[in-house]
Amino acid sequence: VRAARVTLTARLPEFRLTMRDIARVQVGTVVPTGLSKDARVIVRAGSQERFIGHPGRVSGSLAIRIVDTLPSTTPSPDSRTPS
């Protein structure tokens, strides 16, 4: 089980654009988010929100620094009530 691969996804906080800016979006457009490097990013493991992070870069690639964990919504085997 520990070797199983789980997809991680990150969700940026909401940000707003004007209708004019949205109308100009096309393939190749870089959309400015206006978010700071300290913006809160929620990271999901599979379908569960598990971590809080901040956006950044590592060797020129986008990255997320994990700064906190979120409580698991899946009960652990120890916490289940016996049948």
Side-chain angles (χ1 to χ4, degrees), residues 17-68:
L17 294 175
T18 65
M19 288 302 291
R20 176 179 294 141
D21 290 338
I22 292 170
R24 293 178 182 165
V25 172
Q26 58 185 331
V27 174
T29 299
V30 176
V31 178
T33 64
L35 300 173
S36 75
K37 64 179 178 139
D38 295 327
R40 180 179 161 174
V41 176
I42 301 296
V43 179
R44 290 177 163 251
S47 62
Q48 294 185 355
E49 292 183 348
R50 296 302 303 264
F51 308 102
I52 297 172
H54 297 298
R57 291 193 174 270
V58 173
S59 302
S61 296
L62 293 175
I64 298 171
R65 177 182 301 276
I66 303 300
V67 296
D68 204 354

